[in-house]
Amino acid sequence: MEEKGMSENKQYENEYKVQAVKLAKKIGAVNAANELQIPVNTLYGWIRKVKIESLDIGCGERSPEESLNIAEENQQLRKRIKALEKENKRLSEMNEFLEDAAAFFAASRQKSGKNKG
């Protein structure tokens, strides 16, 4: 994936800034600035703009990385839901069993009480 981040007058595209900020969050601003060969203060400026929401990702679009993170989170949440549903089913079955057992023993006691009477 090739990205043109700069033109001759050092204007950066919005998407470049967004990706740079994301990289900074992962590996630190100084490392990201070195890797991208941009001034660290420029990157700090973009990070600040993201915080105050003046740097927008644009039209509700997500970067592939963001989408991947959301997809991963969804997958983990689905697994968690599945595990909780399984546990819920197990507990419901256990509850039914205990209700049946309680009813059985209650009936048993009534019978034995009548026999003794």
Side-chain angles (χ1 to χ4, degrees):
M1 191 166 100
E2 237 178 71
E3 276 198 37
K4 284 186 181 175
M6 313 178 243
S7 60
E8 278 110 283
N9 63 358
K10 299 281 186 198
Q11 290 297 309
Y12 297 89
E13 293 170 13
N14 201 53
E15 183 62 20
Y16 186 87
K17 294 177 185 179
V18 170
Q19 294 301 328
V21 169
K22 287 181 183 162
L23 183 63
K25 283 181 183 177
K26 274 192 174 178
I27 65 172
V30 174
N31 290 337
N34 289 338
E35 191 154 315
L36 298 170
Q37 298 180 346
I38 58 174
V40 72
N41 287 339
T42 301
L43 187 51
Y44 283 137
W46 297 343
I47 292 167
R48 191 173 59 251
K49 283 182 177 180
V50 167
K51 281 182 186 163
I52 63 171
E53 297 177 3
S54 73
L55 174 59
D56 187 19
I57 290 172
C59 304
E61 289 179 18
R62 292 194 179 97
S63 70
E65 182 190 49
E66 241 184 338
S67 296
L68 187 64
N69 289 341
I70 290 168
E72 282 172 13
E73 188 179 354
N74 282 345
Q75 193 176 11
Q76 288 170 358
L77 290 172
R78 279 193 204 100
K79 281 182 187 173
R80 181 85 176 116
I81 288 169
K82 211 172 198 177
L84 289 171
E85 284 173 344
K86 191 176 178 182
E87 178 67 0
N88 197 24
K89 185 178 183 214
R90 189 185 70 79
L91 292 172
S92 292
E93 288 169 359
M94 181 72 73
N95 197 33
E96 273 180 47
F97 169 78
L98 292 173
E99 284 173 4
D100 291 348
F104 171 80
F105 289 118
S108 243
R109 276 194 291 274
Q110 283 178 347
K111 282 182 193 169
S112 64
K114 285 178 187 169
N115 290 346
K116 286 182 182 177

